[in-house]
Amino acid sequence: MSTTITPVAAPPDPAPAAPRRGMWLVRTLAAAVSGLLLYASFPPRPLWWLALPGFALLGWALHGRRLRAGFGLGLVAGLGFLLPLLSWTGEEVGPVPWIALTIAEAVFVGFVGMGVAGTSKLPAWPVWAAGLWVVGEGARARFPFEGFSWGKIAFGQADGVFLSLASLGGTPLVGFAVALCGFGLFEAVRQVLTYRRTKKVPRAGLVTAALAVLVPLLASLATRPLLDDSAEDGTATAALIQGNVPRLGLDFNDQRRAVLDNHARRTEQLADEVAAGKKPKPDFVVWPENSSDLDPYRNYDARDVIDKAVKKIGVPVAIGAVLTPDKGPLRNTLIQWDPQRGPVDTYDKRHIQPFGEYMPMRDFARIFSKDVDRVRRDFGPGKKVGVFDMAGTKVGLVTCYEAAFDDAVRDTVVHGGQVIAVPSNNATFGRSEMTYQQLAMSRVRAAEHGRAVLVPVTSGVSAVIQPDGKVVQQTGMFVPDALVAKVPLRSSLTPATRMGIGPEIFLGLLGAAGVVWAVTRRVRARRSAQGS
């Protein structure tokens, strides 16, 4: 009797666990929250440290993702960051220009996200990712229409531990350090979770995480001595005039004479306070941008008002004026006005604001907003660097929007500026966060170049900033006021000033090297798979 043994089929291998559904939504939400954390790290909130978990969360969202997903997640993070940060751009013209600008800027962050996703499996990936962030900020600062630098991570770090790095490598190094530290925090958490799961931690991953977090922090401490507010060339007493405006919004310029009268009146009041011994006599005075939108070369009433005020204070005054030549574009000009000789020098704003001071693609832009026709005549850019010799003090001139551009500020120092003045007009943007964001820029520029920075604003916040980035005096908003302060004069150049664009190029090349490495690895892997 034979027995037939029927083989029993082995149980099928368990199916691979299906990817958790909904993770795409979780990662998208994480990207959006990372952007919101970056926004919350900016003034007027003193929460600079929120940028670190912001980058850590962004790193988690992007790590190991495909390129297309990386772009989408980066775009979401960019919108979460820039949509609230730039909300002031729609203060008077409505949401359409604000949203259009935000989307255009967020696209750059989308491409950064694509690059970070593509390099996230490389050894030392936080280094390549931080370099790519610098590339994205550099691109936004140059394209299109000469770029838009608002929202550089460095501008949110005026109160932070990374500020001293500005004196070593400028805003690109500060942004790199913050991004590197944030991505390093995520990598550290990732290694801890790996250990809990496998009881093993790759040594290379642990070293990468530790260095990514510690090196930026230690470098920040090591560069603290570069923040020097000593008076190398003595001191000067500077006065800033905040005359205030008749009303908020775009239409304040309709009362141009009232704005001029406000600044002349406050200057004359300062002269009376000096004569009464209530305030020290300044060596020079700086008025804000647009403090005289009546061209004093063509309007004799405006000229007389300015001349009377300057003669009464008795020292050189820098006047912010709009010049209206018969032909050609308007000029946003700073005029050095001498109490004896009248106007003796001028500086024309070089970085003029697209869609604000001039209107590119006017017919196309009109489709989205009729406010483009408020700009009836375009402004034109100046060509020369502005440095006024005001009673023996070399004052470097950076007009409002120009403070966001690395080259505009550096040029004034390289050309001899012992102190920097940033005359501004923020009245158009009401009580929004814009004025505090711009003040933070000036604080970072002070630390970057080792110069005191004077910020006179038509409606506030005007401020006096020491070379180490500390605010020593400031006004309120929408009140007439005058600040008088003794400021240190300096002529030495920080490493950041000396190197100029060098750190940005080097850090950008790091990011580009990561991309090249990732592409090379992918090509080799594909060829190896085809060969087998």
Side-chain angles (χ1 to χ4, degrees):
M1 182 176 175
S2 61
T3 302
T4 303
I5 299 176
T6 303
V8 178
D13 293 334
R20 286 183 294 171
R21 295 182 179 181
M23 278 304 294
W24 67 271
L25 178 59
V26 174
R27 290 186 182 274
T28 301
L29 288 174
V33 172
S34 74
L36 290 172
L37 288 172
L38 294 181
Y39 157 68
S41 72
F42 274 67
R45 294 160 295 278
L47 304 176
W48 58 270
W49 51 270
L50 285 179
L52 300 180
F55 277 110
L57 195 57
L58 181 61
W60 177 81
L62 294 171
H63 195 272
R65 298 303 95 200
R66 295 181 177 180
L67 298 183
R68 184 185 302 173
F71 177 83
L73 292 168
L75 182 65
V76 169
L79 291 172
F81 171 32
L82 297 170
L83 198 63
L85 187 78
L86 303 179
S87 60
W88 52 267
T89 61
E91 185 78 12
E92 291 294 328
V93 295
V96 174
W98 159 43
I99 293 172
L101 173 64
T102 300
I103 292 173
E105 296 298 302
V107 166
F108 288 95
V109 185
F111 282 113
V112 171
M114 178 187 291
V116 172
T119 58
S120 62
K121 293 186 177 180
L122 295 177
W125 72 268
V127 175
W128 322 122
L132 287 169
W133 188 267
V134 174
V135 171
E137 289 193 335
R140 286 202 297 121
R142 293 170 174 84
F143 308 102
F145 311 118
E146 297 187 345
F148 187 75
S149 290
W150 222 276
K152 274 192 168 187
I153 289 299
F155 296 147
Q157 298 296 308
D159 290 307
V161 298
F162 299 101
L163 177 63
S164 60
L165 291 173
S167 60
L168 179 62
T171 59
L173 183 58
V174 176
F176 177 84
V178 175
L180 178 61
C181 196
F183 289 137
L185 284 174
F186 162 66
E187 181 64 11
V189 171
R190 194 171 77 91
Q191 295 301 328
V192 169
L193 294 178
T194 299
Y195 175 77
R196 293 181 63 180
R197 187 173 65 252
T198 65
K199 301 304 179 184
K200 296 179 182 179
V201 176
R203 183 176 297 177
L206 189 61
V207 170
T208 294
L211 291 179
V213 174
L214 293 177
V215 168
L217 293 173
L218 293 176
S220 300
L221 294 175
T223 53
R224 286 288 176 87
L226 292 176
L227 296 181
D228 184 0
D229 62 357
S230 62
E232 296 174 336
D233 305 322
T235 62
T237 301
L240 313 182
I241 300 299
Q242 177 175 303
N244 204 14
V245 298
R247 59 174 179 264
L248 312 189
L250 290 173
D251 293 327
F252 86 93
N253 279 330
D254 289 344
Q255 296 189 35
R256 294 174 294 176
R257 179 56 188 266
V259 174
L260 171 59
D261 287 345
N262 285 352
H263 287 84
R265 185 182 306 113
R266 193 62 189 85
T267 303
E268 292 173 358
Q269 289 174 358
L270 175 60
D272 292 336
E273 292 168 345
V274 169
K278 296 179 180 179
K279 288 191 176 180
K281 184 177 178 63
D283 297 309
F284 62 89
V285 179
V286 187
W287 286 13
E289 176 191 34
N290 298 128
S291 46
S292 176
D293 278 349
L294 292 170
D295 184 344
Y297 293 105
R298 301 171 63 90
N299 186 301
Y300 291 104
D301 286 345
R303 186 184 183 100
D304 288 343
V305 169
I306 295 170
D307 203 50
K308 179 183 175 184
V310 174
K311 279 183 166 59
K312 185 165 184 178
I313 194 66
V315 297
V317 181
I319 309 291
V322 173
L323 304 190
T324 57
D326 290 330
K327 296 181 180 179
L330 302 174
R331 298 287 175 178
N332 189 337
T333 300
L334 297 175
I335 305 172
Q336 181 179 350
W337 207 287
D338 186 84
Q340 283 78 42
R341 296 178 292 162
V344 295
D345 201 359
T346 60
Y347 166 66
D348 294 334
K349 186 177 182 180
R350 293 182 294 155
H351 283 273
I352 56 175
Q353 185 180 352
F355 302 101
E357 292 175 303
Y358 76 100
M359 193 60 59
M361 305 186 302
R362 184 181 291 269
D363 292 339
F364 178 76
R366 192 180 290 112
I367 297 173
F368 301 97
S369 175
K370 294 181 180 179
D371 286 307
V372 299
D373 293 320
R374 289 179 181 268
V375 183
R376 300 183 181 91
R377 184 177 174 185
D378 289 343
F379 283 80
K383 302 298 182 184
K384 70 173 185 177
V385 178
V387 179
F388 286 169
D389 186 336
M390 303 186 74
T393 297
K394 298 293 181 65
V395 181
L397 304 168
V398 181
T399 306
C400 195
Y401 178 66
E402 293 184 309
F405 294 88
D406 294 349
D407 63 326
V409 185
R410 177 179 179 269
D411 284 349
T412 67
V413 178
V414 172
H415 283 72
Q418 298 169 298
V419 61
I420 299 170
V422 187
S424 302
N425 172 27
N426 299 340
T428 302
F429 306 108
R431 299 183 182 275
S432 70
E433 294 181 358
M434 181 269 186
T435 192
Y436 299 102
Q437 293 170 13
Q438 189 177 50
L439 178 60
M441 287 182 194
S442 294
R443 294 180 62 192
V444 173
R445 297 306 186 191
E448 181 178 11
H449 299 291
R451 296 292 188 271
V453 178
L454 311 173
V455 186
V457 185
T458 51
S459 54
V461 173
S462 301
V464 178
I465 304 167
Q466 289 287 84
D468 59 2
K470 294 178 182 175
V471 177
V472 292
Q473 290 189 41
Q474 72 178 59
T475 68
M477 292 186 70
F478 295 101
V479 291
D481 207 343
L483 302 178
V484 183
K486 183 177 291 187
V487 295
L489 305 181
R490 296 175 55 82
S491 55
S492 64
L493 302 182
T494 64
T497 309
R498 293 179 185 277
M499 290 188 289
I501 198 174
E504 183 179 20
I505 292 175
F506 174 76
L507 297 171
L509 287 175
L510 275 182
V515 171
V516 172
W517 188 4
V519 171
T520 302
R521 287 185 61 173
R522 180 168 295 189
V523 170
R524 287 178 178 174
R526 185 172 298 173
R527 288 176 178 174
S528 177
Q530 291 173 349
S532 62

